[in-house]
Amino acid sequence: MSRHWIEQLSRDKGARGYGHPDNYKEMDRLIFERCVLYKVYVCNFEFEFPVLEEIEEYIDYFSQKTHPSSRVDIGAADHWEAQTRFSRLPLRLLNNHNRPLVLKALQSALDDFRKDKQK
């Protein structure tokens, strides 16, 4: 069973990777408070998306049964490795049983979020 919802950010809630609202000036705070996070809960995992385009990227990723290497070429650095946003996902989401469930939940959420945005 999956769920999806839109969560309004507030001064009380910082978002993963987006900094804490107390670090913003007054004008930035007003902009921050108008921001939302699109959340999808499926297979005991909660996805958090700042923009709808990111959901589309995850749909593309979960549409593929096999995935290319997760190693990222970052130029001339000798021993540096970088991770893609997908390499930190739990492997249980990619197994043959859960992958279609995740894909269906993300697609359903994206459709609903777009309908809400058009209102």
Side-chain angles (χ1 to χ4, degrees):
M1 172 96 183
S2 67
R3 296 177 299 162
H4 53 274
W5 67 96
I6 299 173
E7 188 173 290
Q8 181 71 37
L9 293 182
S10 67
R11 289 188 54 73
D12 300 334
K13 295 181 182 177
R16 165 199 52 83
Y18 305 106
H20 194 272
D22 290 338
N23 298 334
Y24 298 114
K25 297 177 191 168
E26 182 63 22
M27 185 56 138
D28 292 336
R29 183 186 64 79
L30 294 174
I31 292 169
F32 183 81
E33 287 180 350
R34 282 184 246 157
C35 293
V36 296
L37 285 177
Y38 301 98
K39 294 194 171 193
V40 180
Y41 182 83
V42 61
C43 297
N44 293 325
F45 186 79
E46 185 177 300
F47 291 93
E48 190 176 272
F49 304 103
V51 292
L52 294 178
E53 290 77 19
E54 194 171 318
I55 300 176
E56 293 171 348
E57 293 175 20
Y58 276 77
I59 288 172
D60 291 342
Y61 181 77
F62 280 100
S63 296
Q64 302 171 16
K65 194 165 188 173
T66 58
H67 301 97
S69 172
S70 62
R71 296 188 75 165
V72 178
D73 181 22
I74 59 172
D78 241 353
H79 300 289
W80 287 41
E81 291 184 19
Q83 292 181 332
T84 66
R85 67 180 73 176
F86 306 112
S87 60
R88 296 198 49 130
L89 289 171
L91 292 177
R92 71 177 186 276
L93 297 177
L94 297 172
N95 69 32
N96 289 332
H97 175 71
N98 290 338
R99 189 179 57 80
L101 299 174
V102 172
L103 183 59
K104 183 178 176 182
L106 291 175
Q107 188 62 56
S108 172
L110 181 62
D111 293 342
D112 288 348
F113 292 151
R114 283 189 174 148
K115 286 178 190 174
D116 288 344
K117 199 170 188 180
Q118 290 176 355
K119 290 181 181 179

